[in-house]
Amino acid sequence: MIKKLIDKLLGKSGTASGSKSRFGKRQEHSVEVHGIDPALVDERAKNVVSTLQDAGFEAYVVGGAVRDLLLGLRPKDFDVATNATPEQVKQLFRRAFIIGRRFRIVHVVYGRGREHEVIEVSTFRAYMDNAAAGQVTGNERTSKGELAAMKHAVDASGRVLRDNVWGPQEEDAARRDFSVNAMYYDPQRQIVVDYHNGIKDAKKRVLRMIGDPATRYREDPVRIIRAVRFSAKLAARGFTLEPKTAAPLVEMSRLLADVPQSRLFDEMLKLLQTGHAAATIAQLRFLGLQRGIYPLLDVVVERADQPFVKAALADTDRRVSEGKTVAPSFLLACVLWNDVREGWARRTEGRNGQRGMAPFPALQDAIDEVFNARIGDVSGRGKLGTDMREIWMMQPRFDKRSGATPYSLVEQARFRAAFDFMRLRADIGEVSEAIAEWWQEFSTADDVRRQDLLDQVRDEQQKGKRVHTRAPRRGDGGSNQKGRASDTGESDSAGPESGDDPSQDGDDASADESASTSAPRKRRRRRKPRTGGAGGAGGAAGASSGE
């Protein structure tokens, strides 16, 4: 009573009722209501929760993991929310790292190498009205100095640039995006804490934005992409976007122009690599967002129905569903392969009576052009770009099945990725199936069998049973001795003539010449490869991860 009187005297009479509506009503649901199977909860997530609780803090599994648990799914990732500050969390775990500026969170790391697991721990955040936030006129880069001293800041459009003000759980729930992502699960007591009827929405299979959708998209335009991702992921489970949540998407998408390109690039990869790429493409088209989110994503959507890209998207979804790893370099290499091929062929053809570029520099030049036009500086000059380049540069080398090329190729670190790329090309008829099968066997065979495979190719070439030959080129003297097609069904695979394969070395060239003669060739013993990196063929998308 006294508090209400003081609030009234201070002019806060409307605040209390407004807060109650904004923050919702806390509801605790027992296992009889939510039905979550504790066996689906990752032991490391349980350990993080129990460690925080034993230290006297509140701690819950939160977000999409709770949503998936309600649906009887085993979540891929587990996030934890707590009232402990990042510094307090870090002190409780041996391997914990505070990351981020916009949102400061803690990564608690278990295991090492590729088998490591990260549990992301965030601190309950206060619900801050934008009117009370610090204002900057620029963005993250241009206002870096101002933002360094701010805990809560927005730009001129209302986009949140800093959000590191801690608060109670009820306010933390209100600042999350969708009601089904705003629930908290305590694996110790097996209760679900729900402020915004998330359980009801999950049962009704509806994705509903908490608060006014337009305002929430303005706070963080990336929520537009998240709406697409969640609706695509959950479409198979019968979920649909609430009409009020979907209505502002197209109009608000213009705000994505102010989001850093690196963040949009990462969000694009999430759309394509979470196992629902095909559904995501369909959802983008359905919502009218097939263009305008990110330039490279526009290309993916535009080419999604092309056989090669369609096969790559389907294979990526398959691998994710099987729990296998995928890498963005492989999928993007598939999407942009047509650009590389066209640029490569254009440079080798020659114009105005002049001879074209040599195949090797022509291919390199075509790749550079594609990076400049499609990738830019976001990730095209880093590891992702290097991996894509190696995948493309190895393609003409698969046409060389004599000399030292096969031995050196299977020892390359990116052989698996390049082979699976070629295997996918064979699946759509761009490369001879016989070539793919030959490399499949060669990559897994022992030294004796590998020599037999090489002898087989040599003998077939000596018999002169060619499926097709290329037309004589100037300087060849009318000879077709370098034609590489044989009765194994080999075909041109890359555009420029692979008889001029730029990647072959001196041994390869001499091997070709001897293979074109009638005299039998002396068998040479081949050294055993230093590594077993060739391996067997994996799925197309996942091999790019170097499994």
Side-chain angles (χ1 to χ4, degrees):
M1 180 68 71
I2 295 176
K3 184 179 185 301
K4 289 182 179 179
L5 178 61
I6 293 175
D7 288 342
K8 186 175 182 180
L9 292 173
L10 294 176
K12 297 182 179 180
S13 58
T15 305
S17 60
S19 297
K20 183 176 181 180
S21 173
R22 171 180 291 176
F23 301 141
K25 180 181 178 181
R26 180 186 175 98
Q27 302 177 68
E28 292 188 2
H29 300 286
S30 65
V31 67
E32 288 76 20
V33 176
H34 60 70
I36 290 177
D37 181 0
L40 296 176
V41 183
D42 189 280
E43 289 299 323
R44 289 158 291 199
K46 290 180 181 179
N47 178 262
V48 171
V49 170
S50 62
T51 300
L52 287 164
Q53 290 179 347
D54 291 344
F57 299 107
E58 296 179 61
Y60 301 83
V61 173
V62 69
V66 182
R67 178 200 65 223
D68 290 349
L69 289 170
L70 284 171
L71 299 175
L73 305 175
R74 186 181 298 278
K76 180 180 178 182
D77 301 304
F78 283 84
D79 297 336
V80 171
T82 177
N83 62 345
T85 66
E87 291 75 16
Q88 291 170 328
V89 174
K90 188 177 187 302
Q91 292 175 357
L92 294 174
F93 299 93
R94 185 172 62 87
R95 298 180 66 206
F97 309 91
I98 299 176
I99 66 168
R101 289 188 297 269
R102 183 168 177 266
F103 300 121
R104 294 180 70 232
I105 59 178
V106 180
H107 278 180
V108 179
V109 182
Y110 290 85
R112 295 186 180 278
R114 294 180 60 189
E115 302 302 320
H116 81 285
E117 177 73 20
V118 173
I119 304 297
E120 190 171 284
V121 183
S122 62
T123 303
F124 294 153
R125 286 177 171 82
Y127 190 97
M128 301 291 289
D129 193 291
N130 283 355
Q135 299 281 332
V136 297
T137 56
N139 54 32
E140 290 92 333
R141 182 174 298 178
T142 60
S143 303
K144 191 174 182 179
E146 295 179 72
L147 292 170
M150 295 181 176
K151 290 187 176 181
H152 185 61
V154 298
D155 65 10
S157 68
R159 182 167 62 96
V160 178
L161 303 181
R162 288 291 184 274
D163 189 4
N164 293 304
V165 181
W166 318 134
Q169 185 186 50
E170 63 179 8
E171 295 187 21
D172 185 73
R175 58 169 294 282
R176 294 181 180 272
D177 46 22
F178 298 97
S179 61
V180 295
N181 291 342
M183 293 176 284
Y184 304 78
Y185 175 63
D186 183 346
Q188 304 288 91
R189 295 189 292 156
Q190 295 191 40
I191 64 167
V192 169
V193 178
D194 183 7
Y195 290 90
H196 300 280
N197 296 316
I199 286 185
K200 288 183 179 179
D201 286 344
K203 290 181 178 179
K204 291 190 298 183
R205 299 297 194 264
V206 63
L207 283 170
R208 178 176 58 85
M209 182 69 71
I210 298 171
D212 175 60
T215 301
R216 303 308 303 279
Y217 294 139
R218 193 173 293 110
E219 290 173 351
D220 185 3
V222 169
R223 286 179 177 141
I224 296 168
I225 304 177
R226 287 168 61 84
V228 175
R229 178 154 55 91
F230 292 140
S231 59
K233 175 181 179 179
L234 298 172
R237 298 277 169 176
F239 277 77
T240 58
L241 278 172
E242 178 201 38
K244 286 178 59 178
T245 298
L249 286 173
V250 174
E251 179 184 355
M252 293 288 106
S253 64
R254 58 184 173 81
L255 299 175
L256 289 167
D258 297 324
V259 177
Q261 292 293 291
S262 58
R263 191 177 178 209
L264 289 178
F265 186 85
D266 290 341
E267 290 296 331
M268 177 196 70
L269 296 183
K270 290 179 183 178
L271 286 177
L272 300 175
Q273 294 193 151
T274 52
H276 310 279
T280 295
I281 301 299
Q283 192 70 1
L284 285 167
R285 291 170 173 170
F286 175 75
L287 295 171
L289 295 170
Q290 62 268 36
R291 298 194 65 83
I293 289 181
Y294 187 71
L296 190 53
L297 181 61
D298 294 347
V299 177
V300 177
V301 177
E302 178 185 327
R303 300 179 179 179
D305 295 327
Q306 295 179 1
F308 189 47
V309 177
K310 187 175 183 179
L313 292 169
D315 201 71
T316 298
D317 287 349
R318 176 188 62 80
R319 287 189 60 84
V320 174
S321 69
E322 294 174 357
K324 299 178 180 178
T325 57
V326 295
S329 55
F330 187 93
L331 183 56
L332 293 182
C334 291
V335 172
L336 298 177
W337 172 237
N338 190 58
D339 292 353
V340 173
R341 290 188 69 209
E342 290 182 352
W344 188 14
R346 188 171 63 250
R347 285 165 171 78
T348 56
E349 285 174 356
R351 295 178 181 177
N352 301 323
Q354 294 184 348
R355 188 181 182 91
M357 295 175 63
F360 185 68
L363 179 56
Q364 287 184 314
D365 199 44
I367 292 173
D368 288 339
E369 180 183 56
V370 170
F371 277 145
N372 292 333
R374 300 296 194 185
I375 301 290
D377 295 329
V378 177
S379 292
R381 299 297 181 263
K383 184 179 185 302
L384 180 141
T386 300
D387 291 347
M388 293 172 65
R389 185 182 296 273
E390 290 183 3
I391 289 172
W392 288 329
M393 293 300 297
M394 286 187 193
Q395 295 310 299
R397 297 186 66 185
F398 286 111
D399 293 323
K400 287 293 300 176
R401 297 183 296 155
S402 59
T405 295
Y407 287 95
S408 62
L409 191 58
V410 295
E411 292 184 18
Q412 297 296 316
R414 304 300 299 166
F415 170 79
R416 285 288 304 280
F419 170 80
D420 286 343
F421 189 93
M422 185 268 288
R423 171 79 263 181
L424 203 63
R425 293 171 61 210
D427 289 344
I428 65 163
E430 187 179 307
V431 178
S432 167
E433 187 72 23
I435 293 180
E437 291 177 355
W438 188 93
W439 279 101
Q440 165 68 27
E441 185 171 3
F442 187 88
S443 67
T444 58
D446 58 25
D447 244 15
V448 174
R449 178 54 183 159
R450 285 181 175 182
Q451 184 61 55
D452 289 341
L453 290 168
L454 291 171
D455 291 344
Q456 176 186 346
V457 172
R458 183 199 63 195
D459 293 343
E460 289 167 347
Q461 291 175 342
Q462 289 174 349
K463 292 176 182 177
K465 294 180 179 179
R466 309 184 189 282
V467 172
H468 74 302
T469 59
R470 65 178 175 85
R473 291 175 58 179
R474 182 172 54 194
D476 284 347
S479 172
N480 279 322
Q481 287 184 350
K482 280 193 176 183
R484 54 170 168 67
S486 68
D487 61 353
T488 61
E490 295 183 48
S491 61
D492 291 330
S493 65
E497 300 294 342
S498 60
D500 292 318
D501 182 357
S503 60
Q504 68 189 27
D505 54 26
D507 288 342
D508 301 335
S510 63
D512 257 356
E513 292 298 327
S514 61
S516 64
T517 65
S518 59
R521 184 180 177 188
K522 183 179 179 180
R523 176 177 296 186
R524 294 186 297 169
R525 277 204 167 274
R526 299 294 178 184
R527 61 183 175 83
K528 191 173 183 179
R530 293 188 301 273
T531 66
S544 59
S545 65
E547 290 182 327

